[in-house]
Amino acid sequence: MAIPQHFIQELLARADVVEIVGRHVQLKKTGANFSGLCPFHGEKTPSFTVSPSKQFYHCFGCGKNGNAIGFLMDHTGAGFVEAVHDLAQQYGMVVPEDERSPQERARAAQETEKRATLTDVLAKAGEAYKKHLKSTPRAVDYLKKRGLSGEIARDYGLGYAPEGWRALASVFPDYADPLLAESGLVIVGEDDADKRYDRFRDRIMFPIRGVKGEVIGFGGRVLGDEKPKYLNSPETPVFHKGRELYGLFEARGALREHGYALVTEGYMDVVALAQLGFGNAVATLGTACTPEHVHKLFRFTEQIVFSFDGDAAGRRAARKALEAALPMATDTRTVKFLFLPAEHDPDSFIRAEGAEAFAEAVKGALPLSRFLLEAAAEECDMESAEGRSHFAANARPLWQLLPAGALAQQLLGEIAAQVQIGAHELEQLWDIRRASPRRSYEKKSYQRPTDNGYSPKKQERPAPPRRGLRGQPASRASRALQIVLTEPSAWDRLSQDEHVLLCDLPAPHGPLFTWLAGQALDHGPQPWSALREALRGHEHEAFAVDEVAKLPPDIVSEPDELHGILGTERREQLKRRMDEALAAGDLPRYQALLRQLADADAAGGNSP
């Protein structure tokens, strides 16, 4: 569902980012703003600032910034729609659903209720599994032999599913409840609906949690060598293997502390690594790494290290992860691949070599760019022209998955060097078409991407400057724009004449001030976070966003700064009109303007 922009704007105007952030971060008043330790990366000296006036947060250390909705997304891993609903609920607002038919709304409500019910059922089973673990010495001994402590078992909610076929019948009064089968806890016979039995039996149970901590499924491991060694919950309305990562909820704090996510191959790897000081480990759920996995991880960190066995199966898994990561490998993100010796997994490596040795191995992991080149060169004789051509053919589909940027351009050059041709020749060979900036600019369909991913439908040529007017100093008009966009009450403190003065400025400033005047009439004073949302799609959106982005997060304007700017601009305007009057030979008008200039100079202290 597309949430109406006006609702997002109203929600951000009502929400207090200081209050939202303060629930998760200990904030201290520092001047006009609040500061604290950044929740997105480990630090000992506060570099995280929250501005009540702008309703924005910013970290000088890691660069994270945004509004209240963005904070909930970054901190909890929730999607945009989920974060909007969560924030709206906190402020007693109902997200509009007018775009959906009554039938669609009813169906969505049923699905939401079903998800909540299923997670409740799974949570109840999880509590029962934990109790069974405490009363089963054989299962406890198994975990101790694997080096796990009671604290780790508690933190990850580990449990034990008894050997009996219907152990859950003692947990749920109605064993025939369809929810037990729909949640994946119970298997129902295909030919006989009355034939029911527990899916998980005699297994160590690993609850799989969603980003909010709710139980969405389970993984079960046998205590011996029986097959299958691992068994996962089936696909359900709340659990999709291709989207979820085991241990992500538990790893959130450690991800910020370590600065990267370590993707492993199994549940036991995750809890064992947490036991040994690497709580930033997560695992895919018995399936190859998907783009959804990578996208979810990049909500929490800018660095991912995939750890795989060094055998053929490990290389195949790494290749899948490479293909999943390439589309999201921007110039500010880091993806690496760690291949341990064939006789080791991360758990055994740390126990044999120590945590410091493992940390060093992570630092020396293969960068994505190196692994792409190695993967493309597999089975290619790089000493022959035929082998190099084969390498180029292998590299092309991988390289084309990369987003545009410096990394893609550098890799193109490295591929060309290994093929032993020029980068320009490789571009021609691969038919990579990049129109020149001038030609693109002249096309009506050209779309200029902005910082937030929005693109105006059409980029028009800038309007020519007005005849007879002196050039407007960008710093003066831009500073006025910065003040009125980031200080909610600034616009209302101006007179009607000052409003007209600003709205009459050349583009892009004048049209933005005119737009702001309309916003003030419709909505009253609004913080920058709300104005930012309202700007989406505006002709000069990118310019306004860039101007605000130039401001240091802790800047505060002096009370008379805006009036001083406008006083100077008023005098400059009068001088321009005097020039026009003289050029037209209109002496009475020139004298009237001269008197106005004298009055303006007197009021402004004759400042330049």
Side-chain angles (χ1 to χ4, degrees):
M1 178 189 71
I3 300 175
Q5 203 64 42
H6 68 82
F7 176 81
I8 297 171
Q9 184 181 351
E10 183 182 351
L11 175 61
L12 288 170
R14 188 177 301 187
D16 181 6
V17 72
V18 177
E19 178 186 357
I20 299 300
V21 174
R23 296 173 188 171
H24 306 276
V25 179
Q26 187 173 353
L27 296 175
K28 181 180 179 181
K29 192 78 164 67
T30 51
N33 299 323
F34 291 81
S35 66
L37 296 176
C38 179
F40 304 116
H41 78 286
E43 62 177 11
K44 296 181 180 179
T45 303
S47 60
F48 183 78
T49 300
V50 184
S51 168
S53 61
K54 295 182 188 176
Q55 285 294 301
F56 251 51
Y57 66 89
H58 178 85
C59 178
F60 292 98
C62 66
K64 283 277 189 181
N65 62 80
N67 55 29
I69 296 174
F71 179 83
L72 289 176
M73 293 174 66
D74 287 338
H75 193 261
T76 68
F80 176 76
V81 173
E82 187 178 6
V84 169
H85 277 270
D86 187 14
L87 190 61
Q89 186 177 25
Q90 295 179 42
Y91 286 88
M93 300 174 68
V94 179
V95 179
E97 298 180 331
D98 295 339
E99 296 181 8
R100 297 184 296 178
S101 67
Q103 294 80 6
E104 289 174 325
R105 291 200 298 270
R107 185 163 54 251
Q110 289 176 354
E111 290 175 357
T112 300
E113 184 178 357
K114 173 63 70 65
R115 286 178 60 88
T117 304
L118 288 175
T119 55
D120 287 343
V121 168
L122 290 162
K124 189 174 182 179
E127 290 300 317
Y129 292 143
K130 286 194 286 186
K131 291 179 181 178
H132 285 306
L133 176 63
K134 293 178 181 179
S135 60
T136 310
R138 187 167 65 93
V140 173
D141 289 343
Y142 172 82
L143 294 178
K144 287 183 177 180
K145 288 178 181 177
R146 295 297 300 261
L148 300 184
S149 66
E151 289 76 14
I152 286 294
R154 178 202 62 209
D155 292 346
Y156 282 81
L158 302 189
Y160 171 71
E163 296 181 83
W165 288 87
R166 291 193 170 205
L168 289 177
S170 63
V171 180
F172 298 96
D174 182 9
Y175 192 70
D177 188 340
L179 288 173
L180 295 181
E182 195 165 353
S183 63
L185 292 171
V186 167
I187 296 175
V188 179
E190 295 183 5
D191 301 326
D192 184 0
D194 293 330
K195 185 180 179 181
R196 297 168 177 266
Y197 54 94
D198 294 356
R199 180 180 299 276
F200 301 101
R201 304 178 305 282
D202 192 25
R203 289 176 180 269
I204 298 295
M205 298 299 291
F206 300 82
I208 303 163
R209 295 184 172 118
V211 291
K212 290 186 175 181
E214 73 281 18
V215 180
I216 57 176
F218 289 97
R221 191 200 190 283
V222 295
L223 278 66
D225 296 323
E226 297 84 5
K227 303 295 183 183
K229 183 184 294 186
Y230 285 99
L231 181 66
N232 295 319
S233 290
E235 297 280 315
T236 71
V238 297
F239 178 59
H240 305 279
K241 288 189 292 185
R243 302 177 194 168
E244 306 298 339
L245 289 153
Y246 176 69
L248 182 58
F249 174 76
E250 292 83 357
R252 292 180 304 165
L255 288 175
R256 294 188 285 272
E257 179 184 347
H258 288 271
Y260 68 93
L262 180 64
V263 184
T264 63
E265 296 189 77
Y267 304 102
M268 192 58 73
D269 284 333
V270 170
V271 292
L273 284 168
Q275 176 77 56
L276 297 168
F278 291 86
N280 55 324
V282 298
T284 54
L285 303 170
T287 184
C289 183
T290 67
E292 288 82 0
H293 289 144
V294 178
H295 177 71
K296 181 167 284 191
L297 283 172
F298 276 135
R299 291 183 188 174
F300 295 89
T301 180
E302 293 293 295
Q303 298 186 57
I304 300 174
V305 178
F306 292 100
S307 177
F308 297 103
D309 295 338
D311 58 13
R315 300 289 292 194
R316 287 194 297 271
R319 175 64 181 260
K320 289 286 187 183
L322 172 68
E323 293 174 359
L326 282 170
M328 283 161 273
T330 64
D331 294 340
T332 59
R333 292 170 173 170
T334 301
V335 178
K336 293 184 175 182
F337 295 83
L338 174 62
F339 295 101
L340 296 174
E343 67 274 15
H344 282 303
D345 58 23
D347 177 18
S348 66
F349 185 92
I350 294 176
R351 294 184 189 281
E353 306 294 336
E356 290 186 8
F358 184 74
E360 286 300 314
V362 169
K363 288 182 181 178
L366 201 63
L368 173 141
S369 58
R370 295 291 96 200
F371 185 47
L372 184 152
L373 296 174
E374 285 190 10
E378 286 182 4
E379 300 182 1
C380 296
D381 177 11
M382 299 301 289
E383 299 300 319
S384 68
E386 291 84 356
R388 291 191 293 272
S389 298
H390 188 187
F391 163 77
N394 290 343
R396 180 179 182 180
L398 295 174
W399 183 85
Q400 288 178 325
L401 291 173
L402 282 166
L407 176 61
Q409 202 61 31
Q410 290 180 80
L411 264 172
L412 183 70
E414 292 197 30
I415 294 169
Q418 294 205 27
V419 180
Q420 298 183 12
I421 62 175
H424 181 65
E425 293 173 297
L426 185 61
E427 284 184 323
Q428 291 182 322
L429 182 66
W430 284 358
D431 193 24
I432 301 172
R433 296 174 181 173
R434 290 191 177 94
S436 67
R438 180 175 181 180
R439 185 167 297 176
S440 297
Y441 182 81
E442 292 170 350
K443 292 181 180 178
K444 291 186 177 181
S445 60
Y446 172 69
Q447 295 187 347
R448 177 172 56 85
T450 65
D451 69 313
N452 53 21
Y454 284 78
S455 298
K457 292 182 179 179
K458 183 173 74 173
Q459 177 67 27
E460 298 179 355
R461 296 186 183 188
R466 299 180 184 183
R467 294 182 63 185
L469 298 184
R470 298 182 183 183
Q472 167 65 21
S475 59
R476 194 163 61 236
S478 291
R479 180 62 187 132
L481 183 65
Q482 290 171 338
I483 293 172
V484 297
L485 286 177
T486 58
E487 297 185 17
S489 61
W491 185 260
D492 284 348
R493 293 199 302 267
L494 300 179
S495 67
Q496 185 64 32
D497 286 343
E498 288 172 323
H499 287 167
V500 172
L501 176 65
L502 290 173
C503 293
D504 195 42
L505 291 173
H509 298 92
L512 283 168
F513 285 119
T514 302
W515 170 85
L516 185 64
Q519 288 291 311
L521 285 173
D522 292 341
H523 304 286
Q526 298 178 92
W528 165 239
S529 59
L531 292 173
R532 173 68 192 88
E533 293 301 318
L535 267 169
R536 297 199 187 279
H538 189 280
E539 178 184 8
H540 300 296
E541 172 192 359
F543 179 83
V545 171
D546 287 344
E547 290 302 306
V548 173
K550 294 174 184 176
L551 286 171
D554 55 349
I555 191 172
V556 178
S557 66
E558 296 295 328
D560 296 329
E561 181 181 2
L562 183 57
H563 286 294
I565 291 172
L566 292 174
T568 301
E569 173 55 32
R570 176 64 175 164
R571 291 191 290 277
E572 289 297 314
Q573 185 187 68
L574 288 170
K575 291 176 183 178
R576 290 195 295 269
R577 291 178 178 175
M578 289 167 63
D579 290 345
E580 293 172 352
L582 277 178
D586 190 344
L587 188 59
R589 176 170 171 74
Y590 175 83
Q591 292 174 333
L593 290 168
L594 183 62
R595 287 191 294 271
Q596 291 181 38
L597 178 61
D599 293 341
D601 284 341
N606 208 20
S607 59

